[in-house]
Amino acid sequence: MKKIMAFLLCSLLLFTALCPAVSATSVESDIERFDDGSYLTVTYYKPTEGTSPDGWEDTDATEESDAVSFFGRIIRFFRNLLNKLLSKQETITKTKYCNYFDSEGELLWSVQLKGTFTYNHKTSVCISSEITDIIMDSDWKLQSRDCREEGNTAIGEFAIRQYKL
């Protein structure tokens, strides 16, 4: 009996060690260029733990040693497996960034829309949305921002205006 348990445990550890970490990152960008040389980038982003583009920080991320990371992957694997077996509904968070750069490529402001969705492989519903902004140049001011959920869509609206003498 001990040999069977040891064999199963070794097989499980070998299987999880050999399985590559699946990246949950998907990035798609659009760029709109203006006559003065400035440009706007819109990036759709589904982040992995602890990473994000353009200086946005994932506050839930912590640094882990290789051993803790390995065992954390095993625990996450079994937690996800149990969730999939016991629940038909899954949750995912997607993020959209809108960044404005001047003609020299300096980032002037950035707006982030984050939406959380539940889905059951047939339908999806947006359960929450959040919009935040970072303005790096004092000539630009946020006029308004609003976000809402409509069905399976997170909608964010914002207005940023440049004030120059």
Side-chain angles (χ1 to χ4, degrees), residues 38 99-103 105-110 134-138 140 162:
S38 62
N99 301 309
Y100 182 74
F101 298 87
D102 65 10
S103 59
E106 183 180 342
L107 181 61
L108 301 179
W109 53 262
S110 181
I134 297 176
I135 298 178
M136 285 72 145
D137 189 316
S138 60
W140 294 87
Q162 184 180 24

Side-chain angles (χ1 to χ4, degrees), residues 46-137:
K46 180 181 155 193
T48 56
E49 284 185 53
T51 61
S52 63
D54 302 322
W56 291 90
E57 295 290 328
D58 183 355
T59 56
D60 296 332
T62 58
E63 290 186 24
E64 298 176 305
S65 68
D66 289 341
V68 173
S69 177
F70 173 74
F71 289 112
R73 281 180 49 205
I74 292 172
I75 291 169
R76 281 192 298 269
F77 171 78
F78 282 111
R79 187 181 310 141
N80 290 339
L81 182 64
L82 281 174
N83 284 341
K84 287 181 182 180
L85 292 174
L86 299 176
S87 171
K88 293 183 179 182
Q89 200 169 52
E90 296 184 37
T91 302
I92 191 169
T93 299
K94 292 192 177 187
T95 308
K96 183 176 182 179
Y97 297 89
C98 184
N99 301 309
Y100 182 74
F101 298 87
D102 65 10
S103 59
E104 286 137 21
E106 183 180 342
L107 181 61
L108 301 179
W109 53 262
S110 181
V111 176
Q112 171 191 33
L113 174 64
K114 186 182 287 188
T116 303
F117 306 86
T118 60
Y119 66 97
N120 63 5
H121 303 288
K122 291 183 182 176
T123 61
S124 65
V125 176
C126 182
I127 57 173
S128 71
S129 61
E130 175 186 358
I131 191 167
T132 55
D133 63 272
I134 297 176
I135 298 178
M136 285 72 145
D137 189 316

